[in-house]
Amino acid sequence: MRFALAGLLCSLTIGAALSTAPVPKAGPPRGLLAVTSNTNGNWEIYLVQASTGAARRLTDNTASDTEPVWSPDGKRIAFTSDRAGEPDVWLMNADGTDPEQLTKKCGGCTSLRWSPDGKRIAFTGRQNGIEQVMAVEVATGKVSRLTDGTVLCRHASWSPDGKKLSFGYFPGRYAIYTATAEGKELAELTDKKGGLDAAWAPNGQQLAFMTLGADDGWQVFVIGADGKNKKQLTKSANNYGARYPLWSPDGNFISFAEIVDGKLQVAVMRADGSDLKVITSKHEHTLARWSPDGKSLSYVRSEKGQLPALWVSDPDGDNAKELLGGVGTWAAEWKPK
């Protein structure tokens, strides 16, 4: 879910004048988020109303239940739980009823992602000590390994049509690869400079990702799904740059995490890189997620001496408010339309 690069952050600064992005204005945020919180002393899964912050706990046991992700139809939630002794993929109804274990001893499952048709869940597991991209069939619990087992692979993302997966592949350097939904036709999407944090555009024709720019600083790029037409979008004046790019539902904007005075902040720009604006400040903000209507952004705010909290705001940073505390370092996920 996160790469071990955080040690670079402490020495970084940035000073850049950024313009105001004309992102969609919103009224009160609408929608429902699934999030992990230990507000009651144990890691459990909650549903939070974006408009009011009202929270309802879905899980209640001594195990750690984390990383909830909605099924495409919004009727079920997959999550990671160590109820059986180690983190595995579990499934429950959207109201928390009928929890069931889907995988058994998959090697510390994380980074769960539903296929667009809702029939499979891709995740990062571990075999022979090496992280791999795997998938479990929701109907049967059958697990298949989608990567070759010899190179560390993680953080799978489905193409919008469900025919391909992108993922991080690490043959001695960070790189982004694609494969078919069955794990065939493995191909490197990035060049010798590699890349991280790939995200598909809603139309499936491009991916946004983080890689080294011309000045060897980390920047946000886009590239065609065929590996052509690579384009740099950001020009941050530091040696780490930006990460975690994510497209708005209409494909017109990209949010990402920008380094400002050594801390990650949420930034938004148009999909062509114009009108970039950092919408948060002071404390660290990351793990942004767009609401299904594109009118709100949720993110995790970390203040020194406190557990991270879930916040929501307009995409330009206005109307920011806290929804729930103690959410840890996992993103909240919006219920699909």
Side-chain angles (χ1 to χ4, degrees), residues 314-334:
D314 296 351
D316 64 0
D318 288 350
N319 300 311
K321 64 177 181 179
E322 181 177 343
L323 295 181
L324 183 67
V327 300
T329 53
W330 297 281
E333 300 289 348
W334 293 81

Side-chain angles (χ1 to χ4, degrees), residues 12-323:
L12 302 174
T13 59
I14 180 174
L18 300 172
S19 60
T20 301
V23 292
K25 293 300 294 181
R30 294 177 296 177
L32 192 64
L33 297 107
V35 64
T36 303
S37 174
N38 71 346
T39 186
N40 285 327
N42 192 57
W43 292 115
E44 305 287 359
I45 294 170
Y46 290 75
L47 294 184
V48 182
Q49 291 285 348
S51 58
T52 64
R56 181 166 68 91
R57 187 166 63 186
L58 293 186
T59 60
D60 186 7
N61 56 74
T62 58
S64 293
D65 298 327
T66 62
E67 296 189 70
V69 286
W70 295 89
S71 62
D73 63 7
K75 295 181 179 180
R76 291 179 291 181
I77 296 173
F79 61 101
T80 297
S81 179
D82 61 3
R83 299 179 189 196
E86 64 180 62
D88 272 296
V89 180
W90 285 66
L91 187 66
M92 63 182 169
N93 293 328
D95 62 1
T97 59
D98 298 331
E100 62 175 305
Q101 185 177 0
L102 283 185
T103 67
K104 296 181 179 180
K105 297 183 179 180
C106 66
C109 304
T110 187
S111 302
L112 280 56
R113 292 292 181 268
W114 286 84
S115 62
D117 63 8
K119 294 181 178 180
R120 304 166 77 198
I121 299 170
F123 61 93
T124 301
R126 189 182 294 271
Q127 287 191 349
N128 300 319
I130 301 175
E131 286 184 313
Q132 297 294 306
V133 174
M134 304 180 187
V136 58
E137 295 180 4
V138 174
T140 65
K142 180 182 177 181
V143 175
S144 57
R145 191 185 70 213
L146 302 181
T147 47
D148 62 17
T150 62
V151 176
L152 187 150
C153 303
R154 54 168 68 139
H155 299 167
S157 178
W158 296 91
S159 63
D161 63 8
K163 294 181 179 180
K164 284 189 174 183
L165 284 160
S166 65
F167 49 88
Y169 191 82
F170 305 94
R173 62 180 175 85
Y174 296 103
I176 297 168
Y177 276 64
T178 60
T180 67
E182 294 73 36
K184 309 296 184 181
E185 300 177 19
L186 182 70
E188 183 173 4
L189 191 70
T190 48
D191 56 24
K192 63 182 180 180
K193 290 192 174 182
L196 301 169
D197 303 337
W200 291 84
N203 63 12
Q205 296 178 9
Q206 289 181 299
L207 294 91
F209 65 102
M210 165 186 165
T211 190
L212 293 172
D215 61 354
D216 287 336
W218 292 94
Q219 308 291 350
V220 174
F221 282 71
V222 292
I223 194 169
D226 58 0
K228 299 178 181 178
N229 301 316
K230 177 183 173 183
K231 178 184 177 183
Q232 182 174 336
L233 299 185
T234 61
K235 298 178 175 62
S236 306
N238 62 66
N239 293 326
Y240 186 73
R243 62 181 315 184
Y244 309 129
L246 193 65
W247 300 79
S248 62
D250 61 9
N252 291 330
F253 297 90
I254 295 174
S255 64
F256 62 98
E258 175 71 284
I259 297 292
V260 180
D261 295 331
K263 295 180 180 178
L264 286 170
Q265 303 295 345
V266 177
V268 177
M269 62 184 169
R270 290 191 178 275
D272 63 2
S274 64
D275 296 325
L276 190 158
K277 182 187 179 184
V278 176
I279 69 168
T280 58
S281 62
K282 189 176 180 180
H283 306 290
E284 185 160 288
H285 300 78
T286 187
L287 300 173
R289 293 292 187 270
W290 291 88
S291 62
D293 63 8
K295 294 181 179 180
S296 299
L297 274 170
S298 63
Y299 41 83
V300 173
R301 172 172 172 164
S302 300
E303 297 184 39
K304 186 176 181 180
Q306 300 183 29
L307 286 171
L310 173 63
W311 282 63
V312 67
S313 74
D314 296 351
D316 64 0
D318 288 350
N319 300 311
K321 64 177 181 179
E322 181 177 343
L323 295 181

